Amino acid sequence: ARNVLDDLQDRLTKEEISLRRLAGILPTQELHLKGDFASEAVPLNLDSLTQSGLANSIDMKTADDAILTRQIQSRSASLGDKPSVGVTFAYGFKNGFFPDIDVFRGNFAAALDVKVPIFEGRRTMGSVEEADANVDAAENHRADVESHVRADVAQAVADLRSAAERLQTSELDVQQASSAVSLAKVRFDAGVITNLDLLDAQTGLQEARLSNLRALYNFVISRFDLRRAVGEKIW
């Protein structure tokens, strides 16, 4: 029991250090934690949760933006061998003209620039092929990201279901251990069992309660993991 307590205290200290680091709380500041563990049921529709994860994932949005950027670059590269026309017009005021050099006079300049590529050494074709390859790479990356999101959501759903089942089982264990203690007290008062047997029953109840708390903790953590997997803010 002391070893278990030491392990739990060590884990608590590590969690506190992580919390201080994430929240920017100095080691000298006191922590005031509020809240409670709640084991309310969570809908576990895999299809809807997966769609939510794909829609809210930052990685998916980044991958979609990368594809759009590569497609624009591909279209721009395909215009490399097309004729182009440029027009430039400028208007301003300037002095220094004879005979009145101090008088500002309006002046303008206009230019027309026409470019017609004749030979470019297949540069445009090479640029288009490179841009198309970048589009394919971006699409493959998006498919990989989508696969990871689907896997993360499916894993989180499976973990939460398993945690819920273990929590339910641990609650039954507590009920059975409580009944065993009540029965042991009656039998001890009747002189049927020894004091050691009663202590064993009480120890079993405490262990069942500890297992129930662990199962509840794992259930809450699994629920937060699912919310993170579907792209929901958990802070």
Side-chain angles (χ1 to χ4, degrees):
R2 288 185 179 275
N3 290 334
V4 172
L5 179 61
D6 290 339
D7 291 339
L8 292 176
Q9 288 177 338
D10 179 64
R11 185 174 181 180
L12 178 61
T13 301
K14 292 179 180 179
E15 297 289 351
E16 180 179 333
I17 293 173
S18 298
L19 176 60
R20 289 181 182 276
R21 178 179 58 83
L22 292 173
I25 302 175
L26 297 176
T28 56
Q29 291 180 272
E30 185 178 358
L31 286 177
H32 298 281
L33 301 180
K34 297 181 180 179
D36 193 6
F37 284 152
S39 59
E40 67 267 11
V42 179
L44 296 180
N45 188 308
L46 181 58
D47 292 335
S48 62
L49 290 173
T50 300
Q51 293 304 319
S52 178
L54 294 175
N56 298 327
S57 173
I58 299 298
D59 293 336
M60 285 295 298
K61 294 178 181 178
T62 303
D64 289 336
D65 291 341
I67 292 176
L68 180 60
T69 301
R70 299 295 186 270
Q71 289 174 344
I72 294 174
Q73 291 174 348
S74 178
R75 289 194 293 268
S76 299
S78 65
L79 301 176
D81 58 350
K82 299 297 188 295
S84 61
V85 178
V87 178
T88 303
F89 181 83
Y91 184 84
F93 293 91
K94 186 178 181 181
N95 61 357
F97 295 100
F98 290 100
D100 298 324
I101 62 175
D102 294 330
V103 177
F104 284 89
R105 294 179 174 85
N107 62 92
F108 69 91
L112 178 64
D113 183 25
V114 179
K115 294 181 179 180
V116 180
I118 298 176
F119 178 75
E120 59 171 9
R122 299 172 58 88
R123 184 181 63 182
T124 298
M125 182 179 296
S127 299
V128 171
E129 291 177 353
E130 181 181 1
D132 290 342
N134 290 334
V135 172
D136 292 339
E139 291 176 346
N140 291 335
H141 175 68
R142 185 193 183 281
D144 185 59
V145 171
E146 179 178 347
S147 176
H148 279 291
V149 171
R150 291 182 180 274
D152 289 343
V153 173
Q155 184 64 54
V157 169
D159 290 343
L160 186 55
R161 284 175 176 167
S162 178
E165 292 176 358
R166 288 196 297 268
L167 178 60
Q168 184 177 6
T169 301
S170 68
E171 291 173 349
L172 293 176
D173 290 341
V174 171
Q175 295 176 5
Q176 293 177 356
S178 298
S179 300
V181 170
S182 299
L183 179 60
K185 289 181 178 179
V186 173
R187 299 180 66 187
F188 176 76
D189 293 338
V192 178
I193 62 175
T194 65
N195 184 40
L196 182 59
D197 294 329
L198 177 59
L199 291 176
D200 287 341
Q202 293 174 340
T203 301
L205 176 59
Q206 296 300 324
E207 291 177 349
R209 288 174 176 172
L210 179 59
S211 297
N212 177 249
L213 287 176
R214 285 176 172 170
L216 179 58
Y217 175 81
N218 292 330
F219 175 82
V220 173
I221 295 300
S222 298
R223 189 176 59 194
F224 277 109
D225 287 340
L226 177 61
R227 293 175 60 186
R228 178 193 55 79
V230 300
E232 182 181 347
K233 285 188 176 182
I234 59 177
W235 62 88

